[in-house]
Amino acid sequence: MTNHWIDIQNSDCILIMGSNAAENHPVSFKYVAAAQQKGATLISVDPRFTRTSSKADIYAPLRSGTDIAFLGGMIKYILDNKLYHEEYVAEYTNASFIVKKSYSFKNGLFSGYEKTPEGPGLGKYDKSQWGFETDANGVPKMDPSLAHRRSVFQLLKTHFKRYTPAVVSKITGTPEADLLKVYKAYCATGKRGQAGTIMYAMGWTQHTTGTQNIRTMAIIQLLLGNMGVAGGGVNALRGESNVQGSTDHCLLWHIWPGYLKTPRASNVDLAAYNGKWTPKSSDLLSANWWQNYPKYSVSLLKSFFGGDATAANDFGYSWLPKVDDDKGYSWFDLFDAMYKKQVKGFLAWGQNPACSGSNAGKNREAMANLEWMVNVNLFDNETGSFWKGPGMDPAKIATEVFMLPAAAFAEKEGSVTNSGRWMQWRYQGPKPLGNSRPDGDIILELGHKIKAAYAGSGVFPEPIRALKWDYATDHAFDAHKVAKEINGYFTKDVTIKDKLYKAGTLVPSFAFLQADGSTSSGNWLYCNSYTEKGNMAARRGQKDAVNGIGLYPEFSWCWPVNRRILYNRASVDAKGQPWDAKDWVIRFAGNKADGKWTSRKWLGDVPDGGWYPLANPDGSRREDARYAFIMRKHGHAQIYGPGRADGPFPEHYEPLECPVEKNFLNPQMVNPTAALYTTDADSYATCDPRYPYVASTYRVTEHWQTGLMTRTQPWLLEMHPQMFVELSPELAELKGIQNGERVMVSSARGKVECSAVVSKRLTPFKVGGLTVHQVGLPWHYGWRWPASGNEESANLLTPPAGDPNTRIPETKAFMVNVAKL
Amino acid sequence: MAYAFLIDTTLCTACRGCQVACKQWHDLPAETTSNRGSFQNPADLSFGTYKLVRMREKVIDKRLQWLFFPDQCRHCIEAPCLETAGDPSAIYQDGDTGAILYTAETRNLLTTEIIESCPYYIPRAADDGTLAKCDMCNDRVHNGLKPACVTTCPTGSMQFGERDEILTLADRHLQMAKKRYPKASLLDPDDVNVIYLVAYPPDLYHEFAVAAAGRSDMTRQMALRKMVRPLVHLGSRLV
């Protein structure tokens, strides 16, 4: 989230699309309800009428996988009706930037496209063709009037001209009247002082166009001036209590802690690595915060290797593994390699890929190719027991499986970071049951054993021997030691701004981190979370900030540097005064004389940089100011995003599997850069009469993820006891299916038995003149429990394709059949 | 002093936290259920289910509505079940909280008469005739806590407090709700200590959302019970 949970109450219009917050983030509705009581409009856009829709003022259905068409129509509506926040757009976004002549968009392809026959990406772009025209110093040329033919603003207009309500409706199946109702209500937030927010989740990300779904909404939020303001932002509702924390700390293969880059093979040494990933701007008004990259990467290496990391050995950079350039190592890629017998061993830690991964049947088969697997979990699951699962012959499977029982969340101390980036400390409740142990203890001991194994000899032992591994107190994992390591220490006495910081003391904030090895930090974004003042995440102060908008700055701690609303410099005009006088986030309150600011002082939230505002009270521009979007190289938010794999503007493409033979917006059917896997376990079938119905997977309130913690809980199983499929009365009649009876749902990958939930909450769509039926399936079940073994995972059906930027799978839009048993 | 609940269904998202919290506090067993083609599960209240979120899909003014009704004992101010039983060892009212409470002695009552006496069709019997229903988490309330369902409710749909305060709160919620739902109303607020706020006509939510017509002739019924009380009492013992 750019904003945070409580802040939803400040919104004037809440769009819930690509998520089902009432069901999957039930507590969020405390704040949604509070906003509604203050007069906010709630909009629900979903293929199904959900418990969220039941509380909405406006509900609009759309066919799964057509969000870009829906939102692209909204962009056109904003532009056509001049509903954008002009001052905001011109001042804070790259709408004024001039794009190079080499940019083009024809026949559904941006310039620079070439196919990649070796896969898994279908193709890739030469993104250099999408760059900006720059002056001699490399600063983009800008036209603040937004009139230049090749300005981002004009290109945006041209790009979305095609997204008329008629075409959008033809694709999405949303009636035109409903589209316009949503557009009108939401775009009213373009007015100065009005704020609209988006609450989205996997309904947007899990598509072959997932990243561009979010990009489309980001463009809308920028056009309407909704970024940085209270009650606005782009808000991802994270699906697990600490998934934000684990993302921040490099859960994913392509990032290091704090969103640093995983080194590529071509980053041959530390200088090459830092050189490659440190952006450079000669625009004096651009903070270009990532120019500090080397301070963060070196501090991280110091955290990894302690005293063994020295300037002479590149702080141990050469000890770390490098990924091949242009190769992916995502979840999909790992299981693909495992399926191809390229992986020997697997630590399945707190996960259940036999049920959670797209095309899970392939994962189950892949695990049979392993020599060993360690399953670290609260309970045995379909992954640990894959070898005796449906269709498996234990006699033919040689994989040795070890089960390490882990402690549940309440049984261990540590922090979780919620969707709103709040790092909240939790204390241990009961002691772990039986032989189960906290994950930290398991990892710590594993590290000790590996170190012992390499003490004498071993291949390439240096990184293992040098690894700093002093996180135990009385031989047990100490969460405080790890939290302090993440914050970071001074490794020698350092004087900064005439103040001495002694070696071994905690670094006050990331502004103090150094690139010379004098500081360590396990994650620069969390530097400031555990300082000499104490454990900031454990704070429980109840006092609100001066602006009274629910920031509660003394409760827990939030990255970065306790800033509760990101990009808040865009919540004020160029003179530093808030667009919204009532629900203001920050305001400049420095002294002034003769129409000029003469001292610096910001009130409210921690400002996104404490520089002077761009303009003085008399309107003259200041040279000591900085642009609002300090994390961007050029200081401006990106309406035009030339860094994405699939194009600088979003474009509607059909899902890999879709019910229509034509993309009504361009001749490309599928995202031309999507990742598609192609082993014999990776089949797909599009526009295939055997699989005529659109399907989507989702969660329900009563279960969680693959259900390992909920299917085993009788009170929860009582409420949702069996795998089910939701379908419309029209489809039920067509197939002769009675409500509540068992049916078979099948796709090109597999089949799953379900109880039929026939409901008016689903309605057939009119798509390109055809009637298209949509069904929905929860993915909470698995054969291991309930004991009948009949309730299986929806992911046996989901497709082998993903987004080109993230490789997140397209589990939200694929094709199935539904038939009576 | 009497306590009361406000259940503002316009804020209820049917997360069913209340349903589980109730089972957890009372340590009630889960029922073996199946998916009957509905999210509502179990199908009905039972001896082991005191709280049930009822769900109905209704088209109202050409718009689909999914109506949620967290059903439970209303803790009537003058409880027909209590009057019908006439045996304070089986059914009594806690003078401190206003809770209508059932004991194990209910097994000696005429089960069907007690159930039929309830205008909201709440009490349910075990095989041996013992009756059970929501007890207002009377033990929690006596110890300064709110009922488990109220504590769990994330949206503020369920509120609990002294009756006077809840009546004031109910009126405030009603005024708020009427802006969005002109036909919003409070259900039987003068007769019960569990006051529901609904957006649409109550019969769309649940057959027994308000005191049922066939069951509402309580004055006469109660008078009859009082007249034959010794016999009923005796009769139940004989059974």
Side-chain angles (χ1 to χ4, degrees):
Chain A
M1 284 185 167
T2 58
N3 294 43
H4 59 97
W5 292 109
I6 296 171
D7 183 61
I8 294 165
Q9 72 187 11
N10 296 319
S11 194
D12 298 299
C13 188
I14 301 166
L15 173 61
I16 302 185
M17 181 171 174
S19 82
N20 179 4
E23 300 195 40
N24 299 329
H25 300 84
V27 180
S28 72
F29 255 65
K30 176 177 180 169
Y31 306 107
V32 173
Q36 281 186 290
Q37 283 172 0
K38 289 194 279 180
T41 305
L42 174 63
I43 305 171
S44 163
V45 180
D46 198 295
R48 301 177 300 143
F49 186 101
T50 65
R51 284 179 255 190
T52 299
S53 316
S54 81
K55 291 284 152 295
D57 301 284
I58 300 170
Y59 166 70
L62 93 165
R63 169 171 65 97
S64 284
T66 62
D67 302 76
I68 290 175
F70 191 105
L71 297 174
M74 195 187 293
I75 292 175
K76 179 176 163 57
Y77 183 87
I78 293 168
L79 297 172
D80 286 355
N81 297 289
K82 297 200 166 45
L83 298 171
Y84 47 91
H85 189 322
E86 193 163 3
E87 198 177 338
Y88 184 108
V89 169
E91 193 77 66
Y92 297 140
T93 77
N94 66 7
S96 61
F97 288 25
I98 312 297
V99 175
K100 283 202 292 196
K101 284 181 184 154
S102 51
Y103 162 84
S104 72
F105 178 75
K106 286 184 201 119
N107 296 327
L109 291 173
F110 296 92
S111 47
Y113 182 72
E114 66 176 314
K115 289 193 170 169
T116 45
E118 71 279 14
L122 296 175
K124 63 176 184 178
Y125 283 107
D126 169 13
K127 290 184 266 189
S128 68
Q129 298 199 21
W130 309 337
F132 298 113
E133 275 191 6
T134 60
D135 64 16
N137 295 320
V139 178
K141 292 183 184 169
M142 302 179 205
D143 173 14
S145 78
L146 310 181
H148 190 286
R149 199 168 50 82
R150 275 183 290 109
S151 68
V152 164
F153 191 71
Q154 295 301 326
L155 294 178
L156 181 79
K157 273 189 174 173
T158 308
H159 189 81
F160 287 102
K161 199 163 64 186
R162 300 164 294 135
Y163 288 65
T164 62
V167 170
V168 170
S169 174
K170 196 172 169 185
I171 292 169
T172 59
T174 313
E176 271 189 64
D178 288 346
L179 281 177
L180 293 171
K181 221 185 283 177
V182 174
Y183 294 170
K184 188 177 173 203
Y186 195 77
C187 299
T189 64
K191 271 178 42 194
R192 188 173 169 148
Q194 293 281 302
T197 189
I198 170 65
M199 296 165 70
Y200 79 90
M202 297 303 188
W204 268 0
T205 55
Q206 291 184 339
H207 293 276
T208 44
T209 54
T211 304
Q212 295 290 1
N213 283 336
I214 322 302
R215 281 270 303 134
T216 321
M217 192 66 207
I219 292 170
I220 290 170
Q221 291 296 68
L222 290 171
L223 289 173
L224 298 174
N226 280 333
M227 294 305 295
V229 303
V234 171
N235 296 306
L237 316 184
R238 309 305 307 264
E240 303 193 20
S241 58
N242 196 26
V243 72
Q244 185 62 51
S246 55
T247 312
D248 299 337
H249 290 296
C250 84
L251 170 80
L252 303 167
W253 72 269
H254 67 296
I255 45 175
W256 273 2
Y259 303 93
L260 304 181
K261 307 286 185 181
T262 303
R264 268 62 176 175
S266 59
N267 309 152
V268 292
D269 56 21
L270 184 62
Y273 170 78
N274 282 334
K276 169 74 182 171
W277 303 115
T278 307
K280 291 158 200 75
S281 169
S282 48
D283 188 338
L284 296 176
L285 288 173
S286 179
N288 183 26
W289 194 267
W290 279 115
Q291 68 177 296
N292 297 304
Y293 194 102
K295 297 174 184 171
Y296 308 149
S297 60
V298 170
S299 294
L300 178 63
L301 289 165
K302 283 296 290 178
S303 170
F304 283 164
F305 299 119
D308 286 330
T310 64
N313 68 4
D314 255 3
F315 301 101
Y317 175 81
S318 66
W319 292 334
L320 288 168
K322 316 290 183 294
V323 296
D324 285 346
D325 295 59
D326 295 328
K327 194 171 171 202
Y329 299 80
S330 72
W331 175 278
F332 256 144
D333 301 297
L334 293 183
F335 281 95
D336 196 55
M338 199 186 291
Y339 186 81
K340 292 170 178 165
K341 304 186 179 180
Q342 294 162 354
V343 179
K344 276 188 187 174
F346 175 40
L347 294 169
W349 206 308
Q351 55 177 249
N352 191 8
C355 292
S356 65
S358 194
N359 193 14
K362 177 181 173 182
N363 296 353
R364 294 179 186 186
E365 287 183 51
M367 289 188 282
N369 293 334
L370 293 165
E371 285 181 19
W372 56 264
M373 183 206 305
V374 181
N375 191 31
V376 189
N377 218 312
L378 305 193
F379 311 114
D380 179 34
N381 56 5
E382 289 77 9
T383 296
S385 284
F386 80 95
W387 50 273
K388 56 178 177 182
M392 293 287 175
D393 178 359
K396 290 185 182 150
I397 296 170
T399 313
E400 190 175 6
V401 181
F402 303 88
M403 172 78 197
L404 298 183
F409 69 90
E411 298 169 332
K412 57 196 180 187
E413 184 174 26
S415 73
V416 294
T417 303
N418 74 9
S419 301
R421 298 167 286 105
W422 291 22
M423 176 191 183
Q424 304 188 83
W425 199 262
R426 289 174 169 179
Y427 302 96
Q428 185 182 40
K431 296 261 185 277
L433 268 185
N435 291 329
S436 62
R437 301 172 70 183
D439 296 294
D441 283 277
I442 299 173
I443 296 171
L444 196 66
E445 186 168 338
L446 182 63
H448 285 310
K449 296 278 185 198
I450 294 172
K451 271 179 168 287
Y454 279 79
S457 62
V459 178
F460 191 36
E462 292 86 351
I464 288 161
R465 286 185 196 154
L467 181 66
K468 189 161 116 40
W469 206 244
D470 52 356
Y471 307 118
T473 298
D474 296 333
H475 307 286
F477 173 77
D478 185 338
H480 292 273
K481 282 188 175 167
V482 173
K484 288 177 185 174
E485 184 71 46
I486 288 168
N487 179 84
Y489 295 97
F490 289 100
T491 59
K492 51 180 114 162
D493 292 359
V494 180
T495 302
I496 299 169
K497 287 186 183 163
D498 298 331
K499 191 167 176 216
L500 174 69
Y501 295 90
K502 300 284 282 179
T505 59
L506 294 158
V507 178
S509 88
F510 56 67
F512 292 81
L513 294 177
Q514 305 296 328
D516 61 2
S518 60
T519 56
S520 74
S521 175
N523 188 333
W524 72 277
L525 268 184
Y526 281 75
C527 189
N528 186 232
S529 63
Y530 205 131
T531 66
E532 292 299 328
K533 287 182 187 163
N535 183 355
M536 298 289 123
R539 297 180 310 162
R540 292 293 179 266
Q542 308 281 314
K543 210 172 120 215
D544 202 355
V546 57
N547 44 8
I549 55 168
L551 299 178
Y552 298 106
E554 294 166 14
F555 189 96
S556 77
W557 177 90
C558 147
W559 68 255
V561 289
N562 211 29
R563 182 176 302 131
R564 302 281 159 143
I565 297 183
L566 295 179
Y567 313 120
N568 57 28
R569 284 289 294 261
S571 71
V572 295
D573 62 18
K575 296 173 187 172
Q577 302 312 304
W579 304 116
D580 184 345
K582 192 167 125 303
D583 294 331
W584 58 280
V585 182
I586 57 168
R587 94 168 50 241
F588 193 72
N591 294 325
K592 57 185 167 185
D594 302 328
K596 307 280 190 274
W597 299 118
T598 55
S599 69
R600 280 193 304 146
K601 186 182 183 187
W602 289 94
L603 298 177
D605 196 8
V606 179
D608 221 343
W611 297 279
Y612 277 101
L614 288 160
N616 282 309
D618 64 6
S620 59
R621 307 296 281 197
R622 297 188 66 104
E623 290 179 358
D624 53 0
R626 294 292 182 276
Y627 296 133
F629 285 83
I630 63 170
M631 301 310 290
R632 303 309 320 172
K633 181 164 124 177
H634 302 304
H636 290 72
Q638 300 193 104
I639 284 179
Y640 182 87
R644 297 279 67 83
D646 38 6
F649 287 129
E651 175 68 4
H652 167 73
Y653 301 107
E654 287 292 332
L656 173 73
E657 293 185 332
C658 68
V660 288
E661 289 185 331
K662 193 166 178 265
N663 178 346
F664 297 113
L665 271 164
N666 66 64
Q668 296 292 320
M669 280 302 287
V670 179
N671 182 343
T673 56
L676 175 65
Y677 296 82
T678 52
T679 68
D680 55 357
D682 290 308
S683 48
Y684 69 98
T686 190
C687 295
D688 185 325
R690 290 176 299 164
Y691 306 107
Y693 312 124
V694 180
S696 190
T697 62
Y698 49 79
R699 307 195 307 189
V700 295
T701 315
E702 296 79 4
H703 286 295
W704 196 67
Q705 308 293 66
T706 67
L708 196 60
M709 290 166 75
T710 56
R711 279 185 274 139
T712 44
Q713 216 303 328
W715 293 322
L716 298 175
L717 199 62
E718 176 192 79
M719 295 192 290
H720 264 309
Q722 288 176 293
M723 177 62 187
F724 63 89
V725 58
E726 289 185 281
L727 64 159
S728 69
E730 292 85 350
L731 180 57
E733 194 187 339
L734 190 71
K735 305 292 283 188
I737 293 167
Q738 301 298 311
N739 191 27
E741 78 173 314
R742 294 289 275 184
V743 297
M744 190 64 83
V745 181
S746 56
S747 79
R749 273 78 52 193
K751 51 187 182 178
V752 175
E753 199 182 302
C754 299
S755 300
V757 175
V758 180
S759 168
K760 284 183 284 225
R761 295 182 293 98
L762 285 98
T763 45
F765 294 104
K766 278 274 176 254
V767 177
L770 299 170
T771 300
V772 171
H773 295 280
Q774 163 118 27
V775 303
L777 307 132
W779 57 278
H780 297 300
Y781 296 90
W783 62 270
R784 189 81 180 75
W785 195 261
S788 71
N790 292 334
E791 314 305 327
E792 261 287 19
S793 173
N795 278 316
L796 295 174
L797 307 172
T798 49
D803 176 274
N805 298 284
T806 62
R807 297 212 171 158
I808 197 166
E810 190 161 60
T811 57
K812 294 294 175 265
F814 56 99
M815 300 300 289
V816 299
N817 193 15
V818 184
K820 282 173 85 82
L821 275 185
Chain B
M1 164 210 321
Y3 287 95
F5 295 73
L6 169 66
I7 304 183
D8 181 347
T9 64
T10 68
L11 297 176
C12 175
T13 57
C15 74
R16 299 197 276 183
C18 54
Q19 200 176 309
V20 178
C22 179
K23 292 228 161 182
Q24 184 179 26
W25 183 254
H26 296 97
D27 200 14
L28 294 170
E31 298 182 33
T32 304
T33 56
S34 65
N35 188 315
R36 299 162 292 106
S38 167
F39 277 30
Q40 182 183 313
N41 231 340
D44 199 1
L45 294 171
S46 72
F47 185 73
T49 301
Y50 305 163
K51 175 112 193 174
L52 177 71
V53 179
R54 299 185 184 277
M55 308 187 187
R56 278 192 181 175
E57 293 160 18
K58 292 282 173 191
V59 176
I60 303 169
D61 298 333
K62 294 182 184 167
R63 273 190 66 185
L64 178 65
Q65 302 292 346
W66 201 359
L67 303 177
F68 308 131
F69 193 83
D71 198 11
Q72 65 170 81
C73 171
R74 310 299 197 275
H75 297 283
C76 299
I77 293 167
E78 288 184 34
C81 60
L82 181 150
E83 294 294 334
T84 305
D87 178 358
S89 74
I91 301 181
Y92 68 101
Q93 184 163 28
D94 184 321
D96 290 336
T97 62
I100 305 294
L101 299 167
Y102 287 13
T103 75
E105 297 300 316
T106 50
R107 71 182 183 280
N108 298 319
L109 302 175
L110 281 176
T111 300
T112 47
E113 295 216 6
I114 300 296
I115 294 173
E116 276 176 20
S117 76
C118 176
Y120 302 99
Y121 186 40
I122 295 294
R124 294 293 193 274
D127 290 344
D128 70 351
T130 312
L131 290 164
K133 62 159 193 74
C134 161
D135 64 359
M136 202 192 262
C137 287
N138 206 40
D139 48 353
R140 290 173 62 94
V141 175
H142 272 287
N143 286 283
L145 298 172
K146 293 185 176 182
C149 54
V150 175
T151 301
T152 299
C153 179
T155 62
S157 169
M158 297 200 59
Q159 304 280 344
F160 183 80
E162 290 179 25
R163 181 172 167 85
D164 291 349
E165 288 170 8
I166 289 294
L167 283 174
T168 308
L169 189 69
D171 279 332
R172 205 161 73 223
H173 274 246
L174 181 64
Q175 295 319 313
M176 220 147 54
K178 280 201 161 170
K179 289 181 199 162
R180 289 159 55 88
Y181 310 103
K183 290 179 185 163
S185 65
L186 299 174
L187 304 185
D188 301 342
D190 299 332
D191 303 330
V192 295
N193 278 321
V194 178
I195 302 164
Y196 286 84
L197 194 170
V198 293
Y200 303 103
D203 59 315
L204 295 177
Y205 290 78
H206 173 43
E207 190 182 350
F208 303 109
V210 287
R215 294 169 165 263
S216 64
D217 191 10
M218 281 306 129
T219 320
R220 187 177 151 270
Q221 223 177 352
M222 270 187 239
L224 278 171
R225 294 289 166 240
K226 278 181 182 164
M227 281 164 62
V228 299
R229 183 176 295 158
L231 284 177
V232 170
H233 203 110
L234 187 64
S236 66
R237 288 284 155 89
L238 290 174
V239 171

